[in-house]
Amino acid sequence: MTLRRKWEEKFFRVLTALVALLVVFVLAHILFTIVSKGASSLSWEILSQEPKGGFYMGGGGGILNAIAGSFYLAIGASILAFVVSLPVALFINIYLIRYHRLLIGVRFFLDVLWGIPSIVYGAFAFTIMIFFGLRNSLGAGIVTVGALIAPIMIRAMDEVLKTIPIGLQEASYSLGSTKTETAYKIFFKQALPGFATAVLLAFGRGIGDAASVLFTAGYTDHVPRNLSDPTATLPLSIFFQLGSPIEEVQNRAYAAAIVLTFIVLCISITARVLYRKK
Amino acid sequence: MTKRILIDNISSKWMLVCLSFFLLLPLAIGTGLVLKSSDLFTSHHSLSTLIFSADWSPSEDKFGFWPFILSSLWVTVIALIISMPLCLLAAIYLSQFAPKWLLEFMRPVIDILAGIPSVVYGVWGVLVIVPLVGDVIAPFFNNESLGYSILAGALVLAVMSIPYILNMLLEVFRQVPVELGEASLSLGATKWETIKHVFIRKGATGILSAYGLGFSKALGETIAVMMVIGNVVQEPASVFDAGYPLPALIANNYGEMMSIPSYDSALMFGSLLLFVIILAINIVFRYLIYKSEEK
């Protein structure tokens, strides 16, 4: 009996360790595959040029349209999301702090909102665009992605604001501040490093999302000049190029995948580092 | 003084407006999709034929969603069957057996991997999983397959859902009180017995919720699955057949949906199905999480 228990213990100790190792291995394998496959096609030309004629048949040019488009889109969406997320996160933690049930209800609701898949956001935004007769554009993409990443941003900000002791709020009121002043002058300052992390996380999600921009931002070979131009994005650029039967075009898709992975990794590592420093 | 109060008034109203916007967003999405897809019901389509009919030919005004629903379920369920035990075992190792530094190292790694865009997982799927299924796994089971199949989609989806589910499971195990484990150990149970009888039992609700949310996340995943699953309209008979899940259907056809009558309504009905199912799953399991945290 004791022998069986001992072996069971040993067996599961090894099994769980192996599984953990397998998980790490698979995830490392993904990064390795992407890098080793795309590194040879990665060049300055690809990063710095718009697609030239016959690009999708193996012609010259690069993916600058997608890189620039993705940045425009994700930066615009992050700013938009920040502008609406900040008041919500502050409201939850200042006005609702005394209403425990309501507070839980709102957080619950935001968590549920987080679970809605991006393709649904995209489809919904598309129906609205058709209703108003709008075309695919950078602006429409920004609004859609902004709505998609705002719940993430709000919850991340909320987690930071939650940690601020209620005494600080009371001290601020006792000195005669209004709730708005407490919110923007005390809470905002106190939570600033955490907010940077929240914005970066949302930015990373926004730049990598493909399903929501497919309908709304469209695709083009040019860097967008204003909000009503359609815009290319990196995920879609990868997707379209990979669908080509020509090997050269596929290789460029792998190179684009490296670029996207690199951007996202940089952002999430920066976000962690900022969070650590706090 | 009045100016400060005025500012306070305006700002608090603005905060409320922003919050209401998010509270109303799901309602707006639901209403919008219902209105848009209601055209289908007025023109002799009933809900049951839409869902259970396998007859999909938009140009003849026939919209049977069953092949897509079936594909979605196949892919998601198989993906979860693969990733559930892996996540649980890995979470047990990291939170119970592994040294503390390893867990501290793995947390950010898991977070970062959760942030990798799905199109990158898709590229990996095309490069690695599709040949693996086509050249190794299918011949092993005496099957012919191009590789672009339900199984390939499920494998990619399983890998994608690992960081997401693993993160939640680590949180579940973190919340089990240490004293409970110590009590069990002091009664002579081995570490594994403690995990089996105390940690897993105590965290059962949390584990179930993590799986449920993982399921809903996987169900809505679009681009990575679309890249490896083949996108053929059929009722898949085996895991080596190509499939065509709902999100892929929506994503693939938005371009041409305006040219065929009621096609756009049908696609919006597809989005509505997805939205309602995922919303329901999320509400149930988030509720379970909140209930278990309250105790």
Side-chain angles (χ1 to χ4, degrees):
Chain A
M1 183 62 195
T2 38
L3 195 67
R4 195 189 66 85
R5 289 176 62 198
K6 210 170 166 182
W7 279 107
E8 192 181 325
E9 168 86 11
K10 277 234 169 79
F11 173 73
F12 277 103
R13 207 174 259 265
V14 174
L15 180 71
T16 54
L18 283 180
V19 169
L21 201 67
L22 175 75
V23 167
V24 176
F25 168 76
V26 167
L27 297 168
H29 189 253
I30 293 174
L31 294 182
F32 173 76
T33 312
I34 301 292
V35 171
S36 65
K37 203 58 182 164
S40 57
S41 322
L42 200 59
S43 68
W44 182 243
E45 191 200 348
I46 280 195
L47 299 179
S48 63
Q49 289 181 10
E50 288 183 357
K52 288 179 184 155
F55 181 71
Y56 300 97
M57 312 299 274
I63 51 164
L64 182 68
N65 60 331
I67 298 176
S70 264
F71 268 104
Y72 287 163
L73 188 81
I75 290 173
S78 301
I79 292 172
L80 183 68
F82 184 77
V83 170
V84 287
S85 299
L86 182 66
V88 175
L90 288 173
F91 186 83
I92 294 173
N93 283 282
I94 289 195
Y95 285 82
L96 298 185
I97 197 88
R98 302 277 177 206
Y99 306 93
H100 189 64
R101 281 220 151 295
L102 199 58
L103 190 65
I104 288 184
V106 169
R107 285 194 178 130
F108 172 79
F109 194 82
L110 289 169
D111 280 343
V112 169
L113 203 56
W114 190 348
I116 297 176
S118 61
I119 183 91
V120 172
Y121 277 98
F124 175 63
F126 190 59
T127 54
I128 292 199
M129 280 161 59
I130 289 176
F131 186 76
F132 288 108
L134 299 171
R135 297 247 318 278
N136 290 342
S137 64
L138 178 60
I142 285 178
V143 173
T144 312
V145 176
L148 175 74
I149 62 179
I152 303 170
M153 214 187 261
I154 296 173
R155 280 301 270 134
M157 287 177 166
D158 183 35
E159 289 297 321
V160 183
L161 290 172
K162 236 196 231 174
T163 61
I164 296 177
I166 196 157
L168 202 62
Q169 212 180 117
E170 284 160 354
S172 166
Y173 294 150
S174 70
L175 291 172
S177 319
T178 62
K179 289 198 164 176
T180 307
E181 285 162 354
T182 311
Y184 286 100
K185 291 189 178 157
I186 310 284
F187 270 53
F188 182 70
K189 259 186 204 158
Q190 191 75 12
L192 205 56
F195 280 1
T197 306
V199 172
L200 282 175
L201 284 180
F203 180 87
R205 184 61 54 91
I207 206 167
D209 196 74
S212 60
V213 292
L214 189 60
F215 299 94
T216 51
Y219 197 82
T220 166
D221 280 351
H222 304 289
V223 175
R225 308 234 170 276
N226 54 47
L227 286 176
S228 57
D229 280 353
T231 179
T233 43
L234 270 173
L236 289 186
S237 165
I238 296 168
F239 178 67
F240 288 142
Q241 291 184 73
L242 201 62
S244 152
I246 299 161
E247 207 186 329
E248 218 175 305
V249 183
Q250 286 182 359
N251 283 336
R252 276 198 297 243
Y254 306 138
I258 295 191
V259 175
L260 181 60
T261 313
F262 179 73
I263 294 172
V264 171
L265 284 185
C266 282
I267 290 165
S268 45
I269 290 170
T270 317
R272 306 289 140 196
V273 171
L274 280 176
Y275 195 66
R276 276 275 169 80
K277 271 197 184 146
K278 192 172 62 107
Chain B
M1 191 62 199
T2 44
K3 195 181 142 206
R4 284 175 61 205
I5 290 171
L6 191 68
I7 291 176
D8 189 47
N9 264 333
I10 295 171
S11 139
S12 60
K13 295 283 178 321
W14 170 240
M15 286 175 172
L16 206 56
V17 168
C18 288
L19 181 63
S20 328
F21 171 76
F22 284 105
L23 296 182
L24 292 176
L25 189 60
L27 203 66
I29 294 178
T31 323
L33 293 179
V34 167
L35 285 180
K36 193 75 195 159
S37 55
S38 64
D39 294 358
L40 272 186
F41 298 107
T42 51
S43 57
H44 70 265
H45 298 279
S46 75
L47 190 61
S48 64
T49 51
L50 279 175
I51 294 179
F52 295 111
S53 154
D55 201 351
W56 179 263
S57 39
S59 50
E60 291 162 43
D61 199 28
K62 282 179 181 149
F63 300 102
F65 277 94
W66 190 237
F68 308 105
I69 296 172
L70 209 58
S71 294
S72 270
L73 286 178
W74 270 89
V75 177
T76 315
V77 169
I78 296 172
L80 261 277
I81 289 174
I82 298 168
S83 68
M84 280 193 311
L86 294 181
C87 288
L88 186 60
L89 291 172
I92 287 172
Y93 179 75
L94 289 174
S95 63
Q96 305 299 320
F97 293 130
K100 193 121 187 84
W101 62 264
L102 189 62
L103 179 62
E104 288 312 307
F105 169 75
M106 282 302 288
R107 263 180 205 286
V109 171
I110 295 167
D111 279 349
I112 287 169
L113 291 164
I116 291 182
S118 61
V119 71
V120 174
Y121 283 100
V123 172
W124 176 75
V126 170
L127 286 173
V128 177
I129 295 297
V130 169
L132 180 73
V133 171
D135 302 338
V136 181
I137 300 181
F140 183 77
F141 289 101
N142 288 324
N143 249 303
E144 291 259 330
S145 174
L146 288 171
Y148 290 91
S149 58
I150 298 269
L151 185 62
L155 282 169
V156 171
L157 210 47
V159 170
M160 286 183 71
S161 62
I162 284 176
Y164 185 73
I165 297 178
L166 188 53
N167 236 342
M168 287 192 281
L169 288 181
L170 285 176
E171 188 59 25
V172 168
F173 283 117
R174 204 177 59 88
Q175 279 177 356
V176 176
V178 188
E179 296 82 14
L180 277 180
E182 280 168 353
S184 162
L185 287 174
S186 70
L187 289 171
T190 61
K191 188 85 191 175
W192 170 251
E193 285 167 340
T194 305
I195 292 165
K196 194 167 59 171
H197 295 304
V198 178
F199 281 84
I200 292 187
R201 195 164 294 180
K202 187 77 187 152
T205 320
I207 295 170
L208 188 71
S209 308
Y211 288 162
L213 292 177
F215 182 85
S216 86
K217 189 93 181 163
L219 197 60
E221 183 46 54
T222 311
I223 202 115
V225 181
M226 186 166 130
M227 286 162 84
V228 297
I229 203 165
N231 300 332
V232 176
V233 185
Q234 60 181 9
E235 289 176 68
S238 86
V239 293
F240 298 109
D241 285 349
Y244 205 159
L246 265 180
L249 169 77
I250 303 165
N252 262 337
N253 294 298
Y254 80 101
E256 63 207 65
M257 73 187 195
M258 302 314 290
S259 48
I260 304 170
S262 27
Y263 199 8
D264 56 336
S265 303
L267 289 185
M268 289 310 143
F269 178 72
S271 322
L272 183 67
L273 274 181
L274 207 58
F275 174 70
V276 170
I277 295 170
I278 288 175
L279 201 63
I281 296 176
N282 263 279
I283 289 173
V284 169
F285 288 104
R286 288 279 176 200
Y287 184 74
L288 278 180
I289 293 180
Y290 276 91
K291 273 288 153 201
S292 68
E293 275 176 1
E294 253 178 27
K295 265 183 264 170

